[in-house]
Amino acid sequence: VWRGEGWQALYRGSGPTALRAALVTMAQLPTYEELKGRALSMGISNDVRLHLACAMASGTVACLATQPVDCVKTRIINMQQCGVNYLGPVDVVRKTL
């Protein structure tokens, strides 16, 4: 990659990847804590089943929140192999929609 496309190609997709990581954290942690707090306030016991259910639900929310960013990231990273040149994430969205 370094020789063929230059050093910039090594960082292609790093912006959307960082955005995805931030979205995962912003979606997953508050969802987990909110669901766990509500469940405990309803009298559900604080055991492995509660943690598993909250983790599964928060993982689902995180997945739904990051799917659009994953699509943009994947298209940017693979644009050379597909023969499409995007100017950036906004261009990906514009050409995809």
Side-chain angles (χ1 to χ4, degrees), residues 32 36 40 44-54:
Y32 178 87
K36 183 179 164 194
L40 291 173
I44 297 175
S45 63
N46 189 5
D47 60 6
V48 173
R49 290 176 297 177
L50 173 63
H51 292 282
L52 181 61
C54 292

Side-chain angles (χ1 to χ4, degrees), residues 6-95:
W7 67 271
Q8 296 94 341
L10 293 174
Y11 297 99
R12 185 183 312 127
S14 62
T17 301
L19 176 60
R20 181 195 182 281
L23 284 173
V24 166
T25 303
M26 291 186 324
Q28 197 167 18
L29 294 177
T31 302
Y32 178 87
E33 290 298 327
E34 181 66 24
L35 291 173
K36 183 179 164 194
R38 286 182 185 235
L40 291 173
S41 70
M42 292 178 6
I44 297 175
S45 63
N46 189 5
D47 60 6
V48 173
R49 290 176 297 177
L50 173 63
H51 292 282
L52 181 61
C54 292
M56 288 172 57
S58 66
T60 301
V61 169
C63 182
L64 293 172
T66 59
Q67 194 281 328
V69 177
D70 280 339
C71 180
V72 169
K73 175 188 71 137
T74 301
R75 287 176 185 252
I76 288 174
I77 291 172
N78 294 327
M79 73 178 165
Q80 296 298 327
Q81 290 85 3
C82 297
V84 180
N85 286 322
Y86 297 111
L87 300 174
V90 175
D91 191 39
V92 173
V93 172
R94 206 175 316 135
K95 288 181 178 176

